[in-house]
DNA sequence: GCAAGGTC
């Protein structure tokens, strides 16, 4: 019963792709059958977003005079006696900057002793140095001072800025972290992999410590906080950003436990947007912080517990498994599960013969192919009878001729997932590489933030301005100009997704090809072309449908003439195929077909997953984030759970019973490397595909994923256990995701989340221990190629 | 030695 796996998951594009596959027929459909979350699946995530009442805004600083008076001595004394705590050790960098820029009104470190100081001292912290710099640039109008910190990537920018009512004129220091500041870990007493036993990690204490690499950054924030009365968090507006904000807050509170904490909400670093974010501060959203904290804790516990469990127990089997690290991760396993699932669907595919009738008629020098309305039947005798009836009729009759306008829709605005998929298809890059390059382009200011789920542009965005920036280009400049000056600009389509944090990926400024390396050029070109395509118009054409009756059977021909290519002119990644003109036919006319034949075919198996398929599956099932999906894919290769092979060149991977070639052993040669060694070892065996595809192609540079014998053993081992939820299935992670949303929306709490999830995984752990033999048997069967593993 | 999530 291999390949008949518990449960179903969201299959992306599989059905449509299979059914459109040359000669394939899908008999057993896997369909969306996601277990219902106890929290429901409401997608309304807006509610929390605006939960920071702006009314709150005035209160915090009401003790400060909102008065601007830089020079008026008569202002309220900064009642933030809070700041008076600040020690005289405050950074000299700050005082240097502030004395310079504020008419010596606020000499450091005398802020606490000079009642007349009316300049609020504000500490701003961004999620990354590039944002700190960009924001500092905008807020200061370019008038800022730069100071190095002991972290080589991070700088402190000092300037003055008027935050408007509330904060007013302020001395600002802007700095950054580099992502998360802290990491969760177990106490040293849990260091051993054997005792206390791994399941103790489900309730072991967890400590949050500053990541060693980030110590200098944390100290910088702590020090700056001492001399600041207000902290403004400038992290990305997504869940993780909110949590990073809380880490920044905690670091700042260490330096100054009375510092007031505010948050700026911004989704791009365009000047006007930043300025308005600075004047509309909100509070940190503790719910989002909690949701992420819950996720961090759960992933740590189950990742460590199951990794130790698997490694401890399976290494004992010796041989190729003797020294492996067999990790479990809440994203790794479902990702592996997708690869294994598809592998078995290919392997277990049984081709079926089918028959069909085809009609061809030549007219006006054109050969028109008519397809059978019944498409094909799996009964040869029946088709033979129908075919003979057709022939007896001799003449076909035109029943219907219809001409109607049709169009091919322009693409949706670009998301991260789509960028990765397109890059693996058209740019000869892995998703990981595409992201690295996109990140570089982003840091250089050429494109917007590349990690976004949003596929709709904000109504207020000045898209025309962005199109205009592309005028200078020799390749698409004329197209861009035509959009604006030729009046052919069209508002992009509105997708259904909005992460409320970042806009779709789009070009920010023009980058001449000479300033980019080859990889950057490819990605930048794609981003620009996609953007221009979005701002263009759908391609338009005229479709002709001709239906004819032949005997008692109906046949149809379809033709399209492209009238306006529009976006296709700038977007070579798509084409409008099937572009063919049909000769004239008139309703009622009769003709004797040039050819009428009965054809025979065989259904063919689906293909193995490409990286684009895998990313799409992960996306649809909530496995990983747009930023990490490519990493999980790398990780399961590094762990030797899967390998990639050139498309069409793949063969069976992890052993099937009848597979008498030794499987590409996990750990053979113990290579930790990147796990790709397996590829070279693979011949082009067709597994159960009955030959055919083996060996041949792979010329298009697209890779396919197949599991190793170890990968198959792990997934099958868990699948064969008696309990309902398999670790290799995406349900658990999907549920985690939904429960995080529930926390964000106030429908659940961190405590509830942890209680229920930890209980669930602990149960799975104990059941897995009880049925360890099932898992071992699967390893013997697949990895050691030892019969049925008994 | 182990996760996933940020970012460099």
């Amino acid at each position: 019963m291999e390949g008949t796996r518990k449960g179903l998951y969201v299959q992306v594009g599989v059905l449509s792709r299979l059914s459109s596959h040359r000669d394939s027929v899908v008999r057993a459909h896997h369909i969306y059958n996601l277990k219902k979350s106890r929290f429901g699946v409401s997608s309304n995530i807006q509610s929390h977003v605006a939960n920071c009442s702006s009314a709150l805004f005035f209160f915090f600083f009401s003790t400060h005079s909102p008065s601007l008076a830089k020079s008026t001595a008569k202002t309220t004394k900064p009642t933030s006696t809070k700041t008076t705590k600040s020690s005289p050790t405050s950074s000299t960098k700050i005082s240097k900057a502030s004395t310079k820029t504020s008419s010596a009104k606020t000499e450091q470190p005398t802020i606490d002793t000079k009642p007349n100081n009316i300049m609020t001292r504000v500490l701003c912290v961004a999620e990354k140095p590039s944002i700190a710099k960009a924001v500092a640039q905008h807020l200061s109008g370019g008038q800022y001072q730069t100071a190095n910190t002991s972290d080589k990537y991070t700088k402190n920018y000092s300037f003055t800025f008027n935050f408007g009512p509330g904060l007013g004129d302020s001395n600002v220091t802007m700095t950054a972290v580099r992502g998360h500041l802290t990491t969760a870990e177990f106490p040293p007493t849990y260091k051993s992999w054997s005792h206390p036993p791994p399941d103790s990690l489900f309730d072991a204490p967890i400590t949050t410590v500053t990541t060693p690499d980030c110590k200098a950054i944390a100290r910088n924030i702590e020090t700056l906080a001492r001399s600041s009365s207000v902290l403004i968090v400038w992290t990305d507006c997504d869940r993780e950003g909110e949590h990073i904000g809380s880490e920044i807050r905690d670091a700042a509170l260490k330096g100054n436990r009375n510092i007031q904490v505010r948050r700026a909400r911004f989704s791009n670093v365009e000047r006007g947007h930043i300025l308005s974010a600075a004047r509309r501060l909100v509070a940190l959203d503790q719910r989002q912080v909690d949701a992420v904290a819950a996720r961090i804790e759960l992933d740590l516990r189950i990742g460590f517990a199951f990794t130790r469990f698997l490694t401890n127990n399976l290494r004992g089997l010796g041989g190729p498994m003797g020294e492996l690290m067999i990790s479990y991760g809440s994203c790794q396993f479902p990702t592996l599960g997708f690869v294994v699932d598809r592998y078995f669907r290919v392997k277990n595919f049984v081709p079926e013969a089918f028959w069909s009738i085809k009609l061809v008629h030549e007219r006006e020098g054109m050969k028109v192919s008519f397809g059978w309305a019944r498409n094909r039947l799996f009964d040869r005798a029946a088709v033979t009878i129908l075919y003979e009836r057709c022939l007896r009729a001799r003449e076909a009759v035109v029943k219907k001729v219809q001409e109607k306008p049709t169009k091919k829709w322009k693409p949706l605005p670009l998301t991260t997932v789509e960028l990765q998929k397109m890059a693996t298809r058209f740019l000869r890059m892995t998703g990981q590489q595409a992201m690295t390059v996109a990140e570089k382009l982003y840091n250089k200011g050429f494109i917007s933030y590349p990690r976004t789920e949003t596929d709709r542009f904000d109504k207020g965005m000045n898209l025309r301005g962005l199109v205009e920036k592309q005028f200078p280009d020799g390749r698409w400049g004329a197209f861009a100009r035509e959009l604006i000056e030729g009046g052919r600009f069209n508002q992009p389509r509105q997708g259904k997704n909005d992460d409320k944090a970042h806009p779709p990926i789009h070009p920010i400024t023009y980058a001449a090809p000479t300033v980019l390396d080859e990889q950057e050029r490819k990605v930048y070109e794609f981003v620009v072309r996609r953007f221009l395509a979005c701002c263009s118009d759908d391609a338009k054409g005229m479709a002709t449908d001709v239906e004819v009756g032949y005997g008692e059977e109906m046949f149809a021909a379809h033709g399209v003439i492209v009238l306006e290519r529009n976006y296709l002119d700038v977007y070579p990644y798509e084409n409008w195929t099937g572009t063919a003109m049909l000769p004239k036919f008139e309703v009622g006319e009769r003709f004797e077909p040039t050819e009428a034949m009965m054809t025979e075919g065989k259904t063919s198996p689906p293909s193995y997953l490409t990286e684009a398929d895998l990313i799409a599956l992960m996306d649809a099932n909530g496995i990983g984030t747009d930023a990490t999906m490519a990493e999980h894919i790398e990780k399961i290769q590094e762990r030797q759970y899967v390998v990639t092979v050139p498309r069409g060149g793949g063969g069976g991977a992890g052993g099937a019973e009848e597979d008498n070639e030794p499987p590409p052993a996990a750990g053979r040669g113990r290579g930790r490397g990147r796990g790709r060694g397996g590829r070279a070892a693979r011949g082009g065996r067709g597994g159960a595909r009955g030959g055919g595809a083996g060996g041949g192609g792979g010329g298009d540079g697209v890779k396919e994923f197949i599991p190793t014998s170890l990968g198959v053993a792990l997934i099958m081992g868990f699948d064969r256990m008696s309990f309902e939820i398999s670790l290799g299935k995406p349900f658990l992670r999907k549920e985690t995701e939904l429960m995080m949303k529930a926390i964000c929306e106030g429908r659940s709490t961190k405590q509830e989340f942890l209680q229920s999830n930890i209980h669930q995984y602990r149960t799975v752990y104990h059941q897995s221990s009880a049925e360890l033999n099932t898992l071992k048997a699967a390893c013997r069967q697949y990895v050691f190629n030892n019969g049925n593993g008994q």
Side-chain angles (χ1 to χ4, degrees), chain A residues 147-200:
Chain A
N148 288 323
T149 71
S150 40
D151 176 76
K152 67 172 176 177
Y153 298 103
T154 314
K155 293 187 167 34
N156 293 339
Y157 304 98
S158 305
F159 51 90
T160 57
F161 179 73
N162 189 322
F163 284 90
L167 283 176
D169 260 334
S170 306
N171 280 320
V172 184
T173 300
M174 178 102 212
T175 187
V177 291
R178 277 160 30 224
H180 286 284
L181 260 185
T182 61
T183 184
E185 59 180 40
F186 293 110
T189 44
Y190 290 85
K191 213 173 163 220
S192 160
W193 281 45
S194 48
H195 73 89
D199 68 331
S200 63

Side-chain angles (χ1 to χ4, degrees), chain A residues 555-614:
Chain A
F555 296 81
H558 179 77
V560 174
I561 311 165
V562 179
L563 300 174
E564 294 173 40
R565 286 179 50 82
N566 295 330
Y567 85 89
L568 289 171
D569 281 333
V570 79
Y571 199 65
Y573 317 98
E574 277 181 16
N575 210 339
W576 204 350
T577 50
T579 301
M581 219 151 75
L582 292 185
K584 271 264 173 279
F585 285 95
E586 272 171 42
V587 177
E589 79 166 283
R590 294 169 166 271
F591 63 91
E592 197 169 329
T594 320
E595 284 177 62
M597 54 213 152
M598 181 167 148
T599 61
E600 181 176 350
K602 219 166 48 168
T603 56
S604 61
S607 50
Y608 293 114
L609 289 178
T610 62
E611 186 165 353
D613 297 335
L614 193 48

Side-chain angles (χ1 to χ4, degrees), chain A residues 530-754:
Chain A
R530 173 73 165 227
F531 176 69
L532 293 176
C534 286
C535 296
S536 177
D537 200 355
D538 298 334
K540 291 174 183 161
M542 187 61 77
T544 312
D545 287 290
V546 179
E547 286 179 25
V548 304
Y550 188 38
E552 282 163 44
E553 299 304 306
M554 292 298 293
F555 296 81
H558 179 77
V560 174
I561 311 165
V562 179
L563 300 174
E564 294 173 40
R565 286 179 50 82
N566 295 330
Y567 85 89
L568 289 171
D569 281 333
V570 79
Y571 199 65
Y573 317 98
E574 277 181 16
N575 210 339
W576 204 350
T577 50
T579 301
M581 219 151 75
L582 292 185
K584 271 264 173 279
F585 285 95
E586 272 171 42
V587 177
E589 79 166 283
R590 294 169 166 271
F591 63 91
E592 197 169 329
T594 320
E595 284 177 62
M597 54 213 152
M598 181 167 148
T599 61
E600 181 176 350
K602 219 166 48 168
T603 56
S604 61
S607 50
Y608 293 114
L609 289 178
T610 62
E611 186 165 353
D613 297 335
L614 193 48
I615 289 171
L617 279 170
M618 294 172 76
D619 185 38
N621 288 279
I623 307 302
T625 67
D626 44 13
T628 59
M629 280 184 248
E631 285 171 30
H632 299 308
I633 294 173
E634 290 243 317
K635 179 69 86 183
I636 60 172
Q637 293 176 71
E638 185 186 324
R639 292 278 185 258
Q640 306 185 46
Y641 298 160
V642 307
V643 293
T644 59
V645 296
R647 175 145 71 187
E657 300 83 81
E658 68 272 37
D659 194 339
N660 49 19
E661 178 182 315
R668 188 160 292 169
R670 189 190 323 157
R672 271 220 11 128
R674 294 244 111 186
R676 298 193 181 186
R679 190 197 328 166
R682 296 308 305 153
R685 289 187 75 255
R689 300 175 75 177
D700 60 2
V702 175
K703 303 262 174 61
E704 290 178 332
F705 285 79
I706 51 176
T708 64
S709 55
L710 172 62
V712 172
L714 290 174
I715 295 298
M716 293 315 292
F718 278 109
D719 256 15
R720 288 171 184 168
M721 291 183 188
S722 61
F723 47 93
E724 258 315 295
I725 298 166
S726 172
L727 289 184
K729 280 289 190 295
F731 301 131
L732 288 176
R733 184 66 200 189
K734 183 110 190 176
E735 197 158 321
T736 305
E737 192 61 31
L738 291 172
M739 289 175 76
M740 283 175 76
K741 268 190 184 153
I743 296 176
C744 289
E745 290 163 22
R747 291 181 284 113
S748 181
T749 64
K750 179 181 165 193
Q751 287 68 33
E752 273 173 35
F753 172 105
L754 287 171

Side-chain angles (χ1 to χ4, degrees), chain A residues 370-546:
Chain A
F370 290 89
W372 192 18
R374 296 181 199 265
N375 192 14
R376 60 195 174 191
L377 297 178
F378 293 87
D379 183 336
R380 178 179 192 152
V383 177
T384 309
I385 291 168
L386 298 172
Y387 175 62
E388 282 169 357
R389 280 190 198 157
C390 290
L391 293 184
R392 241 173 277 139
R394 294 186 60 90
E395 281 194 331
V397 185
V398 178
K399 302 275 190 190
K400 187 172 153 193
V401 176
Q402 191 177 47
E403 274 207 346
K404 62 175 178 204
T406 180
K407 59 186 175 184
K408 185 174 170 66
W409 286 12
K410 61 186 181 180
L412 282 169
L414 186 61
T415 63
T416 304
V417 165
E418 176 73 2
L419 170 66
Q420 293 188 31
K421 289 195 285 189
M422 295 297 280
T424 66
R425 276 183 199 143
F426 298 107
L427 308 183
R428 294 194 172 223
M429 289 182 186
T430 67
Q432 183 78 294
Q433 288 167 333
M435 285 312 291
T436 307
V437 176
E439 184 73 28
K440 276 207 251 167
L441 290 169
Y442 163 68
N443 284 326
K444 291 179 181 176
F446 294 136
I447 66 171
S448 63
Y449 192 64
R451 289 190 279 269
T452 174
E453 295 168 37
T454 308
D455 55 8
R456 54 196 311 167
F457 282 104
D458 222 61
K459 282 262 153 57
M461 251 181 94
N462 179 11
L463 300 178
R464 286 168 195 269
L466 294 171
V467 173
E468 281 170 17
K469 297 214 163 122
Q470 297 298 328
F471 284 2
D473 193 88
R475 294 155 293 178
W476 53 75
F479 187 92
R481 192 176 288 277
E482 181 63 16
L483 287 184
I484 301 302
E485 292 172 1
R488 312 188 61 144
F489 176 91
N490 274 276
Q491 193 64 22
R493 289 168 58 197
Q494 298 259 298
K496 290 195 194 89
N497 306 294
D498 192 341
D499 62 16
K500 305 276 179 193
H502 307 286
I505 304 169
H506 62 273
I508 297 285
T509 57
Y510 177 63
T514 45
V515 304
L516 303 175
D517 68 32
E518 194 194 331
Q519 299 278 76
E520 292 169 335
R521 258 201 304 281
K522 284 199 281 187
V523 173
Y524 182 74
E525 172 169 356
F526 173 71
V527 170
V528 174
R529 288 186 180 278
R530 173 73 165 227
F531 176 69
L532 293 176
C534 286
C535 296
S536 177
D537 200 355
D538 298 334
K540 291 174 183 161
M542 187 61 77
T544 312
D545 287 290
V546 179

Side-chain angles (χ1 to χ4, degrees), chain A residues 123 125 177 181-182 210 214 217-226 231 244-257 259:
Chain A
L123 169 60
V125 186
V177 291
L181 260 185
T182 61
T210 304
C214 297
I217 297 176
R219 258 198 317 272
N220 182 43
I221 291 173
E222 199 179 319
T223 309
L224 293 173
R226 285 194 200 122
L231 166 69
I244 293 167
S246 78
E247 296 169 49
I248 294 168
R249 173 190 63 196
D250 294 345
L253 287 172
K254 272 190 202 160
N256 173 2
R257 62 192 182 81
I259 200 164

